[in-house]
Amino acid sequence: MRSGRALGSLLPLVLLAGGCGIRATEVVEAGEPATVQVQPAGELGTVLYFVSSSAAARLMPVVRSTEPWDDGTGTGGSYGEEPPAGAIKALDMLFAGPTRAEQDIGLRSELPTNRRKMSIELNAEGVRVTLDMPVTQLSEPARQQLFCTAAQARTADRGEAVTVTGTDGVIGPARCSV
């Protein structure tokens, strides 16, 4: 009986020493590290979210150069200083779809590309976008494009709750999943 207990207590040590059948492998090369092109210092930009064609329904951020907008004071304004104007500009660019260069690197949009009338309200609860189109049947990637772009236009951390109202109902409130 004693020898059975001794063998039983040695069994975990034998299995641990044997590595449970997992064999060592060589280092697997996975290619070059990822790189990203960033907006040059001093230029104004906005972040849009498009769908990557190479990764099923994965959103990718794109920084687009933006021009200063006229805030009516004669001093000029910059994107981001007046959230409603900046958010509308960002969503206008999002609905315009990816540029040719963005398409060439495999980005696409799941949103309709025709220009839409819209309004944006920013409040303590987050961002409320109103569109003149049906929204309840939008795919999840299209919804996330809207949520992420609208939230990014409000704050840099994409943490704002976004509600989108369309001609057929409401989606959200939801947060960017990227």
Side-chain angles (χ1 to χ4, degrees):
M1 180 90 174
R2 232 180 149 158
S3 64
R5 268 192 262 171
L7 272 173
S9 64
L10 286 176
L11 183 60
L13 290 175
V14 170
L15 289 174
L16 186 61
C20 300
I22 299 173
R23 297 180 187 161
T25 62
E26 296 295 318
V27 174
V28 177
E29 292 293 327
E32 295 295 314
T35 59
V36 63
Q37 183 176 356
V38 296
Q39 196 72 12
E43 287 191 29
L44 302 175
T46 188
V47 179
L48 309 175
Y49 288 83
F50 291 111
V51 181
S52 171
S53 296
S54 62
R58 180 173 173 214
L59 290 189
M60 302 295 291
V62 172
V63 178
R64 289 261 188 96
S65 179
T66 54
E67 296 296 321
W69 53 273
D70 183 3
D71 62 1
T73 65
T75 61
S78 65
Y79 180 73
E81 288 179 0
E82 183 67 35
I88 288 173
K89 189 171 192 173
L91 290 177
D92 277 343
M93 288 189 289
L94 180 68
F95 276 103
T99 64
R100 185 73 198 141
E102 292 161 352
Q103 290 174 25
D104 288 347
I105 62 169
L107 297 178
R108 61 184 172 79
S109 179
E110 295 233 347
L111 293 167
T113 56
N114 50 346
R115 184 178 165 93
R116 299 289 178 186
K117 290 182 184 175
M118 70 184 80
S119 66
I120 297 179
E121 176 189 336
L122 307 178
N123 56 42
E125 289 79 40
V127 181
R128 176 174 289 280
V129 178
T130 303
L131 299 170
D132 69 340
M133 61 177 264
V135 296
T136 61
Q137 298 301 313
L138 290 174
S139 68
E140 187 57 29
R143 291 175 182 217
Q144 283 298 314
Q145 283 184 264
L146 281 170
F147 297 147
C148 293
T149 301
Q152 181 78 38
R154 170 78 186 246
T155 63
D157 67 2
R158 300 175 313 278
E160 293 285 344
V162 177
T163 303
V164 180
T165 302
T167 57
D168 63 343
V170 178
I171 55 175
R175 297 195 188 310
C176 177
S177 67
V178 176

